[in-house]
Amino acid sequence: MWHGRFSTPTADLLLRYSESISFDWRLWRHDIEGSIAHSAALEAAGLITHAEREQIVAGLREIGAEIEAGKFEFKVELEDIHMNIERELTRRIGDAGAKLHTARSRNDQVALDLRLFLRAECDAISVLVRDLQRSLVTLGDANRSVIIPGYTHLQRAQPVFFAHHLLAYVEMLDRDAGRIADARKRLNVLPLGSGAIAGSTIVLDRELVARLLDFPAVTQNSMDAVSDRDFAVEVLAALALIAVHLSRLSEDVILWCSAEFGFVTLSDAYTTGSSLMPQKKNPDAAELTRGKAGRVVGAVVSLLTTLKGLPLTYNRDMQEDKEPVFNAVDTVKAMLEVIAGMLREARVNAAACAAAVSDPMLLATDLADYLVRRGVPFRQAHEHVGRAVALCAEHLCSLPEIALPDYQAISPAFAADLYEVFDLSRAMSARKAIGAPSPENIAAQLTRWRTLLGAA
Ligand code: ARG
């Protein structure tokens, strides 16, 4: 494609080193879509005839159909998807094909293709995020009376509804969807028409192209348009957060389905056995999700590192943007689908949850609150209850088993009604603050999310 200036062909070694067709072939649909829009601008500017445009569009559609059917042969010597399609078009239709690259460079072409790709993927990912939220809401709703210990430092802390724990992830995923939508807004700008760096002396109607490709705006600086991939970094950052959220959810599930917790049983369909230990049922779906989060985080770092030292404008380094983008997109989509499927088939073991949450120590803070209601400053109340807890450790008993006189020896503010604190359902009902897990709040949150998500 540059043989005019060169007398020796590219070394085979470099060819294989520099080709991107082995991975950027998947931009074909967007490349064709972009070329069809570009050809409309060429016709509008009188650079090709209507008949030539029709030849171009028909040729591109034919090539697209062949690629889709797996019948198109990509050539490594043609380096990338842009050249593969254009060269084949020209082979098929002749001069009209050779005119297509007027006022266009692969630099603005690849920037366009990647934006179109990511725009479509943002939409697909949003759907999957909403789907996973729905699975979480459904699982929480089906077990809305189940209470489990909430943990800090992985130590039993305070009782929470199981649904409250799941709804925490629904909130995280909602912000994730917001970040994806936000990144989509900023990437939704047409770069085509920026040429290689400085536009072109042949002036095309960029706004026409933008309308055809459904971009609400066009880039305003040709150098910026061909040199930045910040839009891809933003999507990757949003994907990294999704991956991290799913990794944490996975870790919770892994703990929950251990014998030590036993809160959840995963279905056979989403677990694997051991080739050696017949009793094993392993949460591989969750473990792989936790594991795969690493590569998504790596993708952001990879792209940022690629960009950080580049002088304006386009540098070939930027071809390294695609693999992390494709990999992160594919990985996160798979994670979202697998975790949603795993949760849809998960069973909650109400008895194991009830046994775990029956630990009265979970209500030690409630006992301190009891003293506060009787006029004791919280810091002192905390200390008093701490003394009671120490007594329990000493006598190998639990807070409700300490006799009233022993409580009163710690503080006279303790009275006979202190034992009511250990009534779990009362304790849950007392947690009425906005965002806290009273049964009424949980019911309201489940309803809110079911309405927002259109959950089944
Ligand atoms: N395959 C290239 C990439 O992915 C397309 C742009 C090539 N431009 C260039 N001047 N070599 O970045």
Side-chain angles (χ1 to χ4, degrees):
M1 30 194 153
W2 46 73
H3 61 264
R5 194 224 176 280
F6 286 64
S7 47
T8 326
T10 314
D12 218 44
L13 201 56
L14 176 58
L15 232 141
R16 276 181 281 123
Y17 191 61
S18 69
E19 66 84 19
S20 55
I21 188 64
S22 56
F23 48 88
D24 70 11
W25 64 270
R26 50 188 289 186
L27 294 173
W28 67 267
R29 194 185 295 278
H30 311 295
D31 200 74
I32 286 175
E33 204 190 340
S35 288
I36 288 175
H38 182 65
S39 69
L42 292 177
E43 186 192 339
L47 293 157
I48 56 173
T49 64
H50 183 66
E52 283 175 318
R53 165 135 210 265
E54 285 187 331
Q55 273 184 291
I56 289 172
V57 172
L60 288 171
R61 294 231 159 96
E62 204 178 277
I63 290 170
E66 283 170 32
I67 296 174
E68 187 148 43
K71 288 191 191 123
F72 190 84
E73 197 204 326
F74 292 112
K75 298 198 174 90
V76 174
E77 1 19 304
L78 293 175
E79 224 182 83
D80 57 26
I81 186 62
H82 325 296
M83 284 311 306
N84 265 273
I85 291 176
E86 190 197 316
R87 184 59 64 84
E88 181 56 22
L89 179 70
T90 304
R91 195 189 65 77
R92 290 182 190 195
I93 67 169
D95 270 0
K99 289 180 181 176
L100 181 60
H101 211 51
T102 309
R104 181 177 82 171
S105 153
R106 281 186 297 159
N107 295 355
D108 56 350
Q109 203 178 349
V110 73
L112 169 67
D113 290 6
L114 197 60
R115 283 172 190 260
L116 287 171
F117 170 82
L118 283 172
R119 186 172 72 179
E121 292 300 338
C122 281
D123 294 342
I125 288 162
S126 301
V127 169
L128 294 175
V129 169
R130 296 306 184 200
D131 232 48
L132 174 56
Q133 285 181 302
R134 237 170 262 128
S135 303
L136 287 159
V137 170
T138 303
L139 185 63
D141 209 8
N143 298 279
R144 60 160 75 202
S145 59
V146 173
I147 308 169
I148 56 170
Y151 296 79
T152 63
H153 313 268
L154 199 53
Q155 306 289 318
R156 283 182 183 171
Q158 296 191 320
V160 292
F161 280 98
F162 180 69
H164 194 53
H165 196 132
L166 297 184
L167 286 170
Y169 285 106
V170 176
E171 297 280 349
M172 295 177 217
L173 288 165
D174 197 52
R175 293 192 294 277
D176 288 332
R179 273 182 281 270
I180 292 284
D182 199 45
R184 187 198 192 280
K185 248 181 259 160
R186 252 186 310 279
L187 70 74
N188 202 16
V189 182
L190 175 84
L192 201 72
S194 302
I197 166 169
S200 171
T201 58
I202 294 163
V203 180
L204 298 183
D205 182 355
R206 298 187 62 205
E207 270 149 358
L208 165 67
V209 179
R211 275 197 302 280
L212 292 173
L213 293 173
D214 205 20
F215 283 108
V218 301
T219 54
Q220 298 295 310
N221 181 304
S222 62
M223 294 179 76
D224 168 43
V226 295
S227 67
D228 211 346
R229 293 291 182 268
D230 55 354
F231 63 91
V233 173
E234 280 193 59
V235 175
L236 289 181
L239 293 182
L241 266 169
I242 295 177
V244 166
H245 288 153
L246 296 189
S247 180
R248 297 186 71 175
L249 171 57
S250 294
E251 174 59 13
D252 279 335
V253 170
I254 290 163
L255 288 171
W256 288 343
C257 68
S258 68
E260 284 71 13
F261 282 77
F263 297 172
V264 164
T265 304
L266 298 178
S267 77
D268 288 359
Y270 282 91
T271 48
T272 59
S274 158
S275 56
L276 187 135
M277 299 166 281
Q279 86 284 13
K280 290 301 290 291
K281 185 170 170 183
N282 298 325
D284 290 28
E287 289 173 285
L288 280 166
T289 301
R290 193 179 54 188
K292 284 175 188 292
R295 68 165 83 190
V296 185
V297 173
V300 193
V301 178
S302 171
L303 183 52
L304 283 171
T305 310
T306 297
L307 294 174
K308 75 174 274 293
L310 298 185
L312 297 192
T313 52
Y314 180 85
N315 299 267
R316 192 62 184 277
D317 315 43
M318 288 163 70
Q319 182 169 292
E320 293 289 312
D321 59 359
K322 278 163 224 66
E323 285 160 294
V325 164
F326 293 156
N327 195 285
V329 164
D330 293 345
T331 302
V332 168
K333 284 167 82 179
M335 287 167 116
L336 286 163
E337 279 182 300
V338 166
I339 296 297
M342 180 186 78
L343 293 177
R344 267 195 291 275
E345 297 198 8
R347 295 276 153 277
V348 175
N349 306 320
C353 295
V357 84
S358 70
D359 178 358
M361 290 303 190
L362 287 161
L363 296 170
T365 313
D366 295 48
L367 190 57
D369 292 347
Y370 162 88
L371 289 178
V372 166
R373 274 192 291 276
R374 296 175 68 90
V376 181
F378 181 76
R379 286 292 163 215
Q380 285 167 31
H382 183 283
E383 192 189 322
H384 296 331
V385 176
R387 300 249 298 279
V389 170
L391 257 167
C392 293
E394 196 184 320
H395 296 108
L396 299 178
C397 66
S398 189
L399 285 171
E401 289 155 5
I402 296 181
L404 184 58
D406 293 332
Y407 272 117
Q408 286 173 332
I410 295 171
S411 163
F414 282 115
D417 61 352
L418 79 87
Y419 297 97
E420 291 166 17
V421 162
F422 302 109
D423 177 337
L424 185 59
S425 79
R426 244 183 71 142
M428 296 316 290
S429 296
R431 288 164 158 75
K432 289 187 205 302
I434 296 171
S438 72
E440 294 75 19
N441 282 355
I442 298 301
Q445 289 297 319
L446 285 168
T447 304
R448 176 171 82 93
W449 281 113
R450 284 175 68 114
T451 312
L452 282 172
L453 296 166

